[in-house]
Amino acid sequence: MKVTYILHSCYHVELEHTCLLFDWYEGDIPPSEKPLYVFASHCHGDHFSPAVFEKTAQQGRQVRFLLSNDIWESRVPEALREDTLFVAPRHSYEVDGLKVGTLRSTDQGVAFLVECEDKRLYHAGDLNCWVWDGAPRLQNDQMTELYRQELTALSGIELDAAFVPLDPRQEADFDLGMRYFFETVGPEHVKHVFPMHMWGDHSVVSLFKSDPNYKKYAPLLMDVSRPGQVFSLD
């Protein structure tokens, strides 16, 4: 399995026979002739761009799109709508043998749980613990509860790779989404965790890994530091 960090929350995963692309809005996509499945977790401009349809067009290559149903159908070229599946939160789907489950985002759209070629991947989209300094305590407490409840869908599931927000805009609370992910899933149940939604500030990766409270999680968090970085995994 080869994982390429493209930008922000966008990752490309190449398996033996299949490629998966998550939340592209700009950046270079690794070339391949393998069938490609394009995922968009929601309509926000840092997770989806209609340019993805032209960007992934390639003569003779099979490309299918799995888009959150908050993305308007009119944003999909008419010629590609037969190859597009709009997905809803907390549903299960199967496309060409690829199994997809969705979680409900704490912001907008969905998170994806994907099974393909004996690999299981989780991409959070904007499912995160969106706690903000200065927000009412009740609001932050409700957010934390909603996030932790939604993550229970992943409890006990073995994950080969997970893509989870680590957002520096949350300042002192930047680590909460990642922390609760590890606590819910369990470090023994996930092989590799890729930080995302960092807005170009990759220093939060080392900040999280250097926290003594997260010593047991640090080896699982990948050292993402620049767009275009490639990770070759078992």
Side-chain angles (χ1 to χ4, degrees), residues 107-175:
D107 186 1
Q108 189 161 341
V110 303
F112 291 105
L113 182 62
V114 181
E115 293 182 47
C116 184
E117 296 187 34
D118 296 322
K119 301 290 185 183
R120 187 180 286 122
L121 313 173
Y122 167 70
H123 188 282
D126 264 359
L127 174 55
N128 187 32
C129 190
W130 296 115
V131 165
W132 302 99
D133 184 32
R137 180 172 179 177
L138 178 61
Q139 176 182 314
N140 282 339
D141 288 347
Q142 289 176 334
M143 169 57 65
T144 300
E145 180 64 20
L146 283 171
Y147 180 65
R148 300 193 75 168
Q149 283 182 352
E150 197 64 25
L151 284 183
T152 60
L154 302 176
S155 181
I157 291 178
E158 301 293 327
L159 297 172
D160 294 282
F163 306 90
V164 181
L166 201 60
D167 194 322
R169 300 174 305 164
Q170 293 182 266
E171 300 178 322
D173 297 311
F174 82 99
D175 59 330

Side-chain angles (χ1 to χ4, degrees), residues 172-228:
D173 297 311
F174 82 99
D175 59 330
L176 291 184
M178 186 70 72
R179 169 190 164 188
Y180 294 141
F181 169 81
F182 274 119
E183 288 181 356
T184 302
V185 174
E188 70 276 16
H189 293 299
V190 59
K191 292 181 179 178
H192 308 283
V193 179
F194 291 86
M196 64 180 197
H197 219 271
M198 295 177 285
W199 298 99
D201 183 1
H202 303 103
S203 67
V204 290
V205 180
S206 58
L207 191 59
F208 183 92
K209 290 169 71 90
S210 64
D211 189 321
N213 295 313
Y214 302 143
K215 186 176 180 180
K216 62 183 176 181
Y217 306 145
L220 303 174
L221 186 63
M222 306 304 290
D223 290 312
V224 175
S225 60
R226 65 187 186 279

